[in-house]
Amino acid sequence: MNAIKIKVVAMIDSDLWYSFKRSPLIIISATLCMLLILSSIFAPWLAPYNPFDESTLSLWAANLPPLSTDEDGFFYLLGTDNQGRDILSTILYGMRTSLGVGLAAVVFAIVLGTSLGLLAAYSGGWLDNLLMRVADIQLSFPAILVALLVNGIVKAVLGNSQMEMVAIYVLILAIGLSEWVQFARAVRGAALVEKQKEYVQAARTMGVPTLMILLRHLLPNVSSPILVIATISIAVAIITEATLSFLGIGMPQTQPSLGTLIRVGGDYLMSGEWWITFFPGITLVLLVLSFNLLGDWLRDALNPQLK
């Protein structure tokens, strides 16, 4: 852990921070990303209304356009949906769900992929071949299909009645299992290089336990690709969650995410209520774009060949 902290501090004090300050686009992306994350975290305090409080909902206020006021004098900046819920409030709460699922899925993928990548690189032999062949097979399928397969298997085991209760955990599991391969392959490649260096050979000669070598010697020196892939994978995970929810097999309407809000709004798009799907869609685009730009910048900033 100390080695990781020292490495992070060194990067902040040197080229990484300098590169960040020199790029206005990255500053804007980081600021936007932070604003969206903070907005979702503090949604209960920032949202004008609680979209899950049925006592405050009124069908008389349904499908109001942006900048509207209902009969009771309540103002809706972005309008209301088909249930009379404030669009701005549902976006804040929906973004909270999307970010939570995306971050949790990426953390799960990091733990699984990094562990298997280190194990494959350090062990070698048949175990390395087995894990990499499994990774190759999974890479031949799009991530969304893997997530759909995992979701379908869990749904068949639990049934529709219990699926809604554990929907968020199933999404995290499905998305995490579809994303671990990128971490495993990147970590394995970097660990194979570090494995041949003198300090690892010395540790093995001294009889240091394998787990200690993996955690104290190899892991801190393969952390750079993990950070880059994680930033980009968050955007992919959010898109995957939104796609599954848009298809109706992700988050239920009682726990809406951005994908669920877009799907609900799509039913009313042709009737003229464009704002129901437009504003959640724009929020999703901005969220994913900010993470993608940060990931691209980190990839270039941490690449020694571009310095």
Side-chain angles (χ1 to χ4, degrees):
M1 291 300 295
N2 291 332
I4 296 177
K5 291 179 180 179
I6 294 173
K7 190 172 183 180
V8 171
V9 171
M11 287 190 300
I12 292 176
D13 290 339
S14 57
D15 296 339
L16 194 62
W17 179 241
Y18 178 78
S19 174
F20 179 81
K21 293 190 298 183
R22 294 278 294 178
S23 178
L25 179 61
I26 298 305
I27 294 176
I28 295 173
S29 300
T31 304
L32 177 62
C33 185
M34 187 59 63
L35 286 176
L36 292 174
I37 292 175
L38 291 177
S39 297
S40 64
I41 293 175
F42 296 103
W45 295 275
L46 295 178
Y49 309 98
N50 185 353
F52 306 121
D53 186 0
E54 296 182 358
S55 63
T56 62
L57 300 182
S58 174
L59 292 179
W60 295 105
N63 298 331
L64 291 178
L67 304 177
S68 295
T69 304
D70 63 9
E71 296 179 351
D72 296 325
F74 293 107
F75 177 71
Y76 303 100
L77 179 64
L78 302 182
T80 61
D81 63 6
N82 61 310
Q83 299 181 38
R85 297 182 299 189
D86 177 50
I87 295 295
L88 177 58
S89 301
T90 57
I91 287 176
L92 292 176
Y93 278 89
M95 187 166 53
R96 197 183 198 191
T97 302
S98 296
L99 276 171
V101 172
L103 291 173
V106 170
V107 170
F108 174 68
I110 289 175
V111 174
L112 179 61
T114 301
S115 301
L116 295 179
L118 287 174
L119 185 62
Y122 190 80
S123 301
W126 66 269
L127 182 59
D128 182 22
N129 291 328
L130 176 62
L131 292 175
M132 289 304 101
R133 296 299 77 76
V134 172
D136 291 338
I137 293 173
Q138 181 166 330
L139 282 177
S140 64
F141 297 94
I144 188 65
L145 290 183
V146 177
L148 283 170
L149 176 62
V150 175
N151 188 281
I153 292 175
V154 175
K155 187 175 182 179
V157 173
L158 297 180
N160 293 329
S161 58
Q162 298 182 0
M163 188 64 180
E164 185 171 328
M165 298 169 49
V166 297
I168 189 170
Y169 305 106
V170 174
L171 275 178
I172 293 172
L173 175 65
I175 298 172
L177 289 177
S178 68
E179 296 292 333
W180 71 271
V181 175
Q182 287 78 6
F183 294 98
R185 292 176 68 89
V187 168
R188 174 184 176 272
L192 284 175
V193 176
E194 296 295 327
K195 175 185 174 182
Q196 306 301 324
K197 294 186 177 180
E198 290 80 3
Y199 70 93
V200 176
Q201 299 296 333
R204 298 177 68 175
T205 303
M206 294 172 60
V208 177
T210 300
L211 182 61
M212 192 67 65
I213 294 176
L214 295 178
L215 295 180
R216 295 190 60 181
H217 297 289
L218 289 181
L219 181 58
N221 291 285
V222 299
S223 57
S224 294
I226 295 176
L227 180 62
V228 175
I229 298 174
T231 307
I232 299 176
S233 295
I234 292 175
V236 176
I238 292 173
I239 284 290
T240 304
E241 183 279 324
T243 303
L244 292 174
S245 297
F246 182 81
L247 295 175
I249 56 176
M251 297 302 298
Q253 294 191 29
T254 55
Q255 296 176 290
S257 66
L258 292 177
T260 306
L261 298 176
I262 295 172
R263 175 175 61 85
V264 172
D267 297 335
Y268 298 88
L269 186 61
M270 301 305 296
S271 60
E273 285 85 8
W274 54 269
W275 57 88
I276 301 178
T277 189
F278 176 77
F279 291 116
I282 288 296
T283 304
L284 179 63
V285 170
L286 293 176
L287 187 62
V288 172
L289 181 61
S290 62
F291 275 110
N292 274 333
L293 290 175
L294 288 175
D296 290 341
W297 165 73
L298 276 176
R299 180 191 59 199
D300 295 338
L302 296 177
N303 188 352
Q305 296 179 354
L306 298 178
K307 295 180 181 179

